[in-house]
Amino acid sequence: MQEENGPDTVSPELDAMVGDLLGSLLDALAEGDDPGVLLAAEDAAANRYEASFAEDGVEVCLRAAQQFVSHHASGIVSDEVGPLERYAIAYLGAIEDEDGTYLDAILASFHEHGQESGYSAYLLVDGIGKGDEFAWGEPQPAGAEEPLI
């Protein structure tokens, strides 16, 4: 399907995987939990591997998640996941608005074979830990990045 739609089209499989990952992070943040840096990776048959990197600061955990994807591009044998077709990484961070104020945001990066580059996006969040009062905005593009696989 990706070939039919062009090299920068997000496939339904990648869209679903990113949606699942963001949903998990949003649910945790609504309850006041920070699960760290979340990773999801799938092979061409949609066999999925998921992990959370939370044992250190966000920068170290982000680097660990990125290295995990790069080092396991040929597959994750222990979880019966073949060569990686797509991945997504998401975590709580912040973006700076035009006034220089930092706003809480979920930052995400994702890529799928066939795309020319990896991509990133963010969702503003408000009311972390406030349950039903927790709110988030629509995903906004944050640019292209070097793919990890």
Side-chain angles (χ1 to χ4, degrees), residues 2-149:
Q2 188 137 330
E3 268 58 49
E4 295 172 18
N5 295 325
D8 292 322
T9 300
V10 174
S11 71
E13 295 85 1
L14 179 59
D15 188 50
M17 187 182 70
V18 171
D20 290 348
L21 192 68
L22 293 176
S24 295
L25 190 49
L26 289 167
D27 289 346
L29 293 173
E31 298 305 316
D33 299 326
D34 183 357
V37 176
L38 299 183
L39 160 69
E42 288 183 345
D43 62 18
N47 296 309
R48 187 180 295 182
Y49 174 84
E50 295 179 333
S52 174
F53 296 79
E55 297 297 316
D56 217 322
V58 70
E59 293 86 7
V60 172
C61 290
L62 176 59
R63 192 168 37 255
Q66 292 167 334
Q67 289 173 346
F68 184 91
V69 170
S70 295
H71 291 134
H72 291 87
S74 62
I76 306 164
V77 177
S78 62
D79 287 76
E80 300 180 5
V81 175
L84 300 184
E85 181 69 15
R86 64 191 68 84
Y87 69 85
I89 297 171
Y91 59 96
L92 178 63
I95 63 160
E96 186 176 5
D97 71 6
E98 23 332 295
D99 298 326
T101 303
Y102 286 93
L103 306 171
D104 289 333
I106 292 175
L107 308 175
S109 61
F110 49 92
H111 173 73
E112 183 167 41
H113 276 295
Q115 293 180 323
E116 293 180 6
S117 65
Y119 295 95
S120 59
Y122 68 90
L123 290 81
L124 293 176
V125 296
D126 186 49
I128 294 172
K130 294 186 178 178
D132 291 339
E133 294 179 31
F134 177 68
W136 62 91
E138 290 294 316
Q140 301 296 316
E145 54 186 48
E146 191 67 30
L148 302 173
I149 56 174

